Amino acid sequence: MQKLLIKGKKKLSGIIPISGSKNATLPILAASIFSQKVKIENVPFVKDVFTMIELLNFIGLRIKINKKNNSLQIINKKNVLNSIAPYKLVKTMRAGVLVLGPLLARNKKAKVSLPGGCAIGTRPVDLHLFVLKKLGAKIKIKNGYIHASAKKGLRGCKIKFPSVSVGATENAILAASQASGKTILLNCAIEPEVKDLISFLKKIGCRIISKGRKIEIFGKFKPVEATYKVMFDRIEAGTYLIASAIAGSNISLLNIDHKIIRTELKILKLMGVKIKTFKNKINILESKKIKKIKITTSPYPGFPTDLQAQIMVLMTKAEGVSIIKENIFENRFMHVPELKRMGAKIEIKNNTAYIQGPTNLSGAEVMATDLRASVSLVIAGLIADNRTLINRIYHLDRGYENLEKKLKNCKSNIKRI
Ligand code: UD1
């Protein structure tokens, strides 16, 4: 099994190009189930994207991968697509459940494996099913699969989500785009990746109006051919912003729209990180002193749960006690025991972490438990004394494109063994 070996305490400098967004690419790929021919650009070639490509192949789409320019050409010549998303493809990537809405809308039936739990919590799909039932689907759970059918097709209606969910909002938009009539969704997730999915659907011919947390979708659109460029990965950008703040002397991040990551930039500036923003670029200069802070993770435009583990490492360098309240997932502190083994002083009470700083981290052999927890260990390894060896790095490969190459180009001492 592959591991990452990092020799820490090297000052990083250089340029890091930010890749396309994994979390925007996945629902856009699910939406391509509707199209005849579409080209998608700025696709990050990470494991989750390849799993989704495999799933679409299984369903019956033809996908040409162009690794040189990070694009995909998707061609759909079949009138009848397979309606099944099997367990072996959905179990490794929850976003597989995003094909449920499109398959049901297109084929009037779908059989999609239940994704099951994962390290960061139980992660149910009740909200996905709630919205599809409102649109007229009949749903049964049998042998670990969701069996959904809508013999007469889905019907548009008004639906208010009881709580905000990114994936359920995306599944609802996807299903409603081929329902009859208009659907009004209230209390939607407004993450930039949801907006990117809406932009893609508009580009292939669907009429959608969104204002605040309300989204109106006009159903039964006729798909047209299109080329679409996926937005930048704001979580990858945030990860390298934090890594640069903690281990860098002068780093430029490219391909970023800084307006989308306003909250993250505000928090980092409050912590004393020196940041300069340009049109498509952010420069991070060496920060002399990191200040303590209290943050709460919440849906966009709040601070993202997907950057919680990474910012915790920065907090180990701040003077005093920093606090993180995790409001999205119930079990997202799996990185804490590993960071403690590296010398961090962290206490957990319920959903709140108290980080005492400043501490000097020391290298150790550690275990990655999920995607963002793994990358927090990489950041910790960059500033730790001696060597850090990270096990189970397949989690990292699910969501970070060319991680070692990007860090090596900034003079870090990191290698895969
Ligand atoms: C997406 C992101 C993930 C991110 C998360 C929150 C993708 C592929 N993944 O995941 O990286 O951490 O948003 O920003 O885009 N919930 C329910 N019932 C449901 C669905 C969700 O109770 O049917 C709960 C979840 O357990 C969680 C909360 O709602 O507590 C938010 O989850 P959700 O926004 O749905 O996350 P994902 O779409 O799975």
Side-chain angles (χ1 to χ4, degrees):
M1 207 177 273
Q2 293 188 334
K3 301 176 183 199
L4 267 187
L5 178 66
I6 304 170
K7 286 185 193 154
K9 291 256 175 224
K10 247 191 131 210
K11 277 275 172 232
L12 310 188
S13 63
I15 295 173
I16 302 180
I18 300 302
S19 299
S21 162
K22 164 182 89 72
N23 286 355
T25 301
L26 296 173
I28 287 172
L29 285 178
S32 68
I33 286 177
F34 295 130
S35 64
Q36 296 298 314
K37 193 172 173 191
V38 72
K39 186 178 176 197
I40 305 171
E41 298 176 336
N42 202 30
V43 174
F45 286 136
V46 293
K47 184 75 180 47
D48 275 7
V49 168
F50 286 115
T51 306
M52 188 57 112
I53 291 173
E54 216 182 311
L55 182 52
L56 294 184
N57 273 325
F58 182 88
I59 286 168
L61 304 187
R62 253 187 42 217
I63 301 165
K64 261 172 51 193
I65 302 172
N66 189 335
K67 280 206 171 161
K68 266 196 196 137
N69 65 10
N70 281 79
S71 72
L72 296 174
Q73 183 98 43
I74 304 177
I75 299 166
N76 183 2
K77 283 198 172 152
K78 291 190 183 166
N79 278 333
V80 184
L81 291 176
N82 194 349
S83 300
I84 301 171
Y87 174 66
K88 69 172 189 291
L89 294 173
V90 182
K91 73 167 184 206
T92 56
M93 184 195 60
R94 275 185 54 84
V97 80
L98 290 175
V99 300
L100 178 62
L103 283 182
L104 176 64
R106 198 177 184 280
N107 292 356
K108 299 196 169 78
K109 59 176 185 178
K111 181 181 162 190
V112 174
S113 169
L114 275 168
C118 72
I120 62 175
T122 50
R123 303 189 79 176
V125 289
D126 56 316
L127 295 170
H128 298 244
L129 305 186
F130 158 82
V131 81
L132 295 175
K133 279 184 195 161
K134 292 265 180 203
L135 288 167
K138 287 215 165 72
I139 305 228
K140 272 195 220 147
I141 308 287
K142 215 170 129 193
N143 306 116
Y145 276 81
I146 305 161
H147 295 253
S149 65
K151 280 193 184 129
K152 292 183 186 150
L154 298 173
R155 290 180 314 273
C157 62
K158 191 169 178 175
I159 306 164
K160 186 172 178 194
F161 286 101
S163 62
V164 175
S165 156
V166 175
T169 301
E170 291 167 343
N171 236 334
I173 295 169
L174 288 163
S177 73
Q178 288 299 349
S180 57
K182 182 167 98 169
T183 299
I184 301 175
L185 301 173
L186 302 169
N187 198 26
C188 294
I190 50 167
E191 265 63 7
E193 295 76 18
V194 175
K195 297 257 166 83
D196 215 35
L197 170 66
I198 292 175
S199 305
F200 171 75
L201 283 168
K202 281 181 169 173
K203 191 114 197 228
I204 63 168
C206 185
R207 200 171 147 226
I208 303 179
I209 302 169
S210 64
K211 197 171 172 218
R213 293 200 181 271
K214 177 179 174 188
I215 303 175
E216 286 178 273
I217 305 117
F218 297 81
K220 290 229 180 271
F221 80 100
K222 298 259 176 307
V224 294
E225 277 185 30
T227 297
Y228 188 79
K229 184 177 173 195
V230 174
M231 67 173 286
F232 76 101
D233 196 313
R234 68 188 168 102
I235 304 301
E236 190 201 18
T239 301
Y240 287 121
L241 266 170
I242 293 167
S244 309
I246 202 167
S249 60
N250 187 358
I251 294 190
S252 294
L253 306 183
L254 306 183
N255 314 329
I256 296 181
D257 176 354
H258 61 84
K259 293 193 286 301
I260 287 180
I261 51 169
R262 243 185 231 135
T263 304
E264 295 87 317
L265 291 174
K266 190 175 142 205
I267 299 251
L268 289 175
K269 282 179 183 167
L270 284 171
M271 291 182 81
V273 179
K274 293 206 180 87
I275 295 171
K276 276 191 184 160
T277 52
F278 302 87
K279 194 162 175 250
N280 287 315
K281 179 173 94 163
I282 296 182
N283 286 353
I284 306 102
L285 302 170
E286 185 156 3
S287 321
K288 291 278 176 270
K289 197 169 173 226
I290 300 295
K291 295 180 209 153
K292 67 176 181 179
I293 199 160
K294 179 178 178 186
I295 61 169
T296 301
T297 62
S298 48
Y300 194 84
F303 191 85
T305 173
D306 284 355
L307 285 176
Q308 180 257 102
Q310 298 90 314
I311 202 156
M312 191 180 281
V313 183
L314 183 60
M315 289 170 167
T316 67
K317 289 287 154 204
E319 189 93 38
V321 179
S322 294
I323 301 172
I324 302 180
K325 191 169 174 203
E326 171 56 60
N327 258 351
I328 307 289
F329 293 108
E330 74 265 31
N331 189 20
R332 211 175 193 179
F333 288 132
M334 305 283 284
H335 45 288
V336 170
E338 300 304 298
L339 291 175
K340 281 169 95 167
R341 294 185 57 248
M342 295 177 76
K345 292 185 187 132
I346 305 169
E347 234 188 281
I348 307 283
K349 282 188 198 141
N350 303 319
N351 66 340
T352 305
Y354 299 84
I355 303 100
Q356 169 77 57
T359 38
N360 203 17
L361 299 183
S362 55
E365 185 163 355
V366 288
M367 185 85 81
T369 47
D370 70 68
L371 173 56
R372 309 302 171 185
S374 331
V375 88
S376 77
L377 299 176
V378 173
I379 299 175
L382 292 175
I383 51 163
D385 293 326
N386 305 317
R387 290 147 50 113
T388 298
L389 187 63
I390 307 177
N391 291 286
R392 296 202 183 157
I393 54 164
Y394 51 83
H395 290 293
L396 271 180
D397 296 330
R398 285 189 43 218
Y400 286 91
E401 191 179 45
N402 301 327
L403 177 104
E404 297 108 274
K405 192 170 154 204
K406 288 181 183 184
L407 286 174
K408 259 191 203 148
N409 284 347
C410 290
K411 309 190 178 90
S412 74
N413 197 331
I414 179 168
K415 75 173 174 210
R416 194 177 279 249
I417 52 173

